[in-house]
Amino acid sequence: MYDRLLGDDLLSSSDVYEPIEAPLSLLQWVHTDEYLESLKSSYNCATILEVPPVAILPNSLVQKKALKPMRFATTGTVLGAKLAVESMAAKKKGKHADQSKDDPAAFTGDKSTSSSSSSSSSSSSSSSSSSSSSILSLSKPVRAGWSINLAGGYHHCSGNRGGGFCAYADLSLALLYLMKKYPGDENMNRFMIVDLDAHQG
């Protein structure tokens, strides 16, 4: 999908922000420690992902091939929400969003990238630096008022239970982030999630 968007000239590489892998501190905003610990069981992951053969795989492989990409997608959803809201606010003011400061409400970690996306491309192969800057800081202008995360949308997951191929509650996390970052903002009181996912059968 990402290559096609670039190939069809719908996006340029300058539009793209890559998220880093969601750290534990971010996931704990919405998930219980017991649930996160349960993801170390391949059997439990197979139930959540609805892919029975996953139960017999080493959990290290499940983490690398399934859960790690989902952690990138989770941060991509949060960053995509931030990009959309901040670029919209900047458009109203007639300027780019302030990208000179780290977001005080953002999560910090050992790794960061310069990129999620104004078409927020979640990628498990995201390159990273060793600096300890904000995961959600913006390093370049974005198109005003919208963003797309090419992964994520894990709406079947709750704080203490996964399911329906959803291991992390990225949408809940993004909404919680927006409500905490913009307290009192009337535009952050109501949200709509449009469910357009594909199901078997």
Side-chain angles (χ1 to χ4, degrees):
M1 174 65 88
Y2 171 71
D3 291 337
R4 176 136 187 206
L5 289 170
L6 287 179
D8 290 347
D9 294 326
L10 296 173
L11 292 176
S12 69
S13 58
S14 64
D15 292 322
V16 177
Y17 285 75
E18 289 183 35
I20 74 160
E21 182 180 356
L24 182 63
S25 60
L26 173 58
L27 300 174
Q28 286 173 326
W29 270 42
V30 291
H31 293 297
T32 64
D33 290 338
E34 292 78 13
Y35 172 70
L36 294 172
E37 186 68 21
S38 78
L39 296 178
K40 295 179 181 177
S41 160
S42 293
Y43 177 82
N44 192 43
C45 291
T47 303
I48 291 168
L49 299 175
E50 299 181 350
V51 182
V54 167
I56 63 171
L57 297 176
N59 190 255
S60 59
L61 186 62
V62 177
Q63 293 287 331
K64 181 178 180 181
K65 296 296 185 179
L67 298 184
K68 184 175 182 178
M70 287 184 167
R71 290 191 290 269
F72 276 94
T74 295
T75 309
T77 298
V78 180
L79 182 50
K82 174 187 166 74
L83 288 167
V85 171
E86 293 203 348
S87 63
M88 215 166 22
K91 183 179 180 182
K92 288 179 182 177
K93 293 178 181 177
K95 59 182 182 180
H96 290 304
D98 179 10
Q99 299 158 10
S100 62
K101 304 175 192 172
D102 280 345
D103 177 3
F107 305 91
T108 58
D110 296 327
K111 300 190 290 185
S112 67
T113 66
S114 62
S115 329
S116 174
S117 175
S118 164
S119 4
S120 180
S121 169
S122 291
S123 167
S124 60
S125 60
S126 149
S127 60
S128 62
S129 69
S130 60
S131 66
S132 181
S133 62
S134 168
I135 290 172
L136 301 177
S137 62
L138 309 183
S139 61
K140 53 191 171 184
V142 297
R143 296 184 186 185
W146 64 275
S147 68
I148 300 168
N149 185 13
L150 297 182
Y154 305 130
H155 59 286
H156 293 295
C157 189
S158 63
N160 59 4
R161 184 175 54 84
F165 199 76
C166 303
Y168 302 108
D170 65 322
L171 294 173
S172 299
L173 182 57
L175 299 185
L176 179 61
Y177 172 80
L178 292 178
M179 289 186 287
K180 287 193 173 201
K181 179 166 173 54
Y182 306 100
D185 185 329
E186 62 184 28
N187 294 318
M188 296 301 147
N189 292 331
R190 300 175 69 189
F191 299 92
M192 178 172 66
I193 297 172
V194 180
D195 181 354
L196 298 175
D197 65 353
H199 286 274
Q200 304 92 329

